Amino acid sequence: MVKLYDDERIDYLLADESMKIIQSPSCFAFSLDAVLLAHFAHIPIKRGRILDLCTGNAVIPLLLSKRTKAEIIGVEIQKRIFHMAERSIALNDLTDRLSVIHGDLKEMLPVLGHSNFDVVTCNPPYFRSPKETEHNDNEYLTIARHEVLATLEDVVRACKLHVRPGGKVAMVHRPGRLVDIIDLFREYKLEPKRIQFVYPKRGKEANMLLIEGIRDGKPDIKILPPLHIYKEDGTYTEEAERIIYG
């Protein structure tokens, strides 16, 4: 039996109710961006190694485990959320393939080594660090949403450090950071290869961005068809349903 603390609860991870995850409304609960990234990323099916930075409660490793037999390692800096990730992995009997490390992504070289992963995924903090007076009263949310403990450059640098030459890096972010992301990808020899914009509805501005780069790749980028999440009546589009419900 997995123990729960404070306001934690066990939720179903997917609509088929085959997997469960530990969440906390005051601490960490995954959202659609993690689901979209796990679907978007190109990953090895049978063997290989995958690294998920800013893993939170291990939602992306859990989702990816449905698509691959590869080893998956997550890195999470917040101790309480790290423990949620550990227990979520155990809850699904996946400790033979999934693991999580409590630590700073900027300091993982002695632990993970250089160029040891076929794929690196990351759902990083989206917003530049605000002034301290503008921080959310909830420290967990501030760290998850803002570049307080890791900047976008820190994240891209870590991705490049740990992915093998020819390996893939997949990230979800906000469209407003696209230029920054492409600049940093190229600075760290991660050539952008696929981009997909995500829109809440037709006629609305994109509010999410999925991007994949290849370490030491050659220039050649593909802009994928737009992904719309909701129809006009507020129900999911067919494509969004396929991604979310499988």
Side-chain angles (χ1 to χ4, degrees):
M1 176 65 74
V2 173
K3 189 172 182 179
L4 300 179
Y5 299 91
D6 300 324
D7 61 350
E8 292 177 350
R9 65 175 188 261
I10 295 176
D11 292 331
Y12 287 116
L13 179 65
L14 299 167
D16 63 11
E17 300 185 355
S18 62
M19 303 185 80
K20 297 179 179 179
I21 191 166
I22 297 170
Q23 306 212 91
S24 163
S26 65
C27 177
F28 190 90
F30 77 88
S31 55
L32 181 60
D33 48 5
V35 178
L36 296 180
L37 177 59
H39 178 268
F40 173 80
H42 278 157
I43 58 173
I45 303 303
K46 294 294 185 181
R47 61 177 63 87
R49 302 185 81 209
I50 300 169
L51 176 65
D52 182 50
L53 300 175
C54 307
T55 202
N57 57 354
V59 55
I60 290 174
L62 289 169
L63 289 167
L64 292 179
S65 74
K66 299 278 288 183
R67 299 175 52 206
T68 180
K69 298 298 182 183
E71 175 190 8
I72 308 174
I73 298 174
V75 175
E76 173 54 44
I77 196 169
Q78 298 192 75
K79 191 170 185 179
R80 182 185 171 191
I81 300 175
F82 156 76
H83 286 306
M84 291 168 65
E86 275 196 321
R87 286 176 287 135
S88 292
I89 290 169
L91 185 65
N92 292 283
D93 297 320
L94 287 168
T95 54
D96 59 328
R97 291 197 289 123
L98 275 58
S99 61
V100 62
I101 297 169
H102 175 229
D104 189 331
L105 61 80
K106 302 188 295 294
E107 300 171 356
M108 285 294 106
L109 183 59
V111 181
L112 298 174
H114 196 288
S115 306
N116 281 333
F117 292 87
D118 300 284
V119 178
V120 178
T121 57
C122 188
N123 180 3
Y126 289 156
F127 306 108
R128 292 183 175 88
S129 182
K131 298 176 183 177
E132 192 166 340
T133 55
E134 298 172 340
H135 284 192
N136 193 301
D137 290 338
N138 186 322
E139 182 182 14
Y140 294 109
L141 299 182
T142 295
I143 291 171
R145 294 171 179 172
H146 297 275
E147 297 177 358
V148 176
L149 300 181
T151 65
L152 180 58
E153 183 168 8
D154 291 332
V155 169
V156 174
R157 184 188 297 113
C159 289
K160 191 265 183 179
L161 182 66
H162 296 298
V163 73
R164 65 170 175 78
K168 296 180 174 67
V169 171
M171 184 181 296
V172 60
H173 218 291
R174 292 297 178 98
R177 302 300 297 277
L178 175 59
V179 175
D180 296 333
I181 294 168
I182 290 178
D183 283 348
L184 286 168
F185 265 40
R186 285 193 150 174
E187 180 178 345
Y188 287 94
K189 310 302 180 186
L190 301 171
E191 185 61 32
K193 286 292 188 175
R194 293 193 300 139
I195 291 178
Q196 186 172 36
F197 293 100
V198 182
Y199 300 79
K201 289 182 179 180
R202 295 185 184 277
K204 300 291 185 180
E205 291 184 359
N207 61 353
M208 273 188 277
L209 163 76
L210 296 158
I211 184 168
E212 181 183 76
I214 293 181
R215 180 176 163 187
D216 303 325
K218 295 180 180 179
D220 180 24
I221 192 166
K222 291 180 172 59
I223 307 299
L224 303 184
L227 171 59
H228 298 93
I229 302 301
Y230 296 105
K231 301 177 186 176
E232 287 304 314
D233 63 3
T235 60
Y236 286 124
T237 63
E238 290 184 7
E239 187 174 6
E241 277 195 346
R242 284 196 299 271
I243 295 171
I244 295 166
Y245 295 112

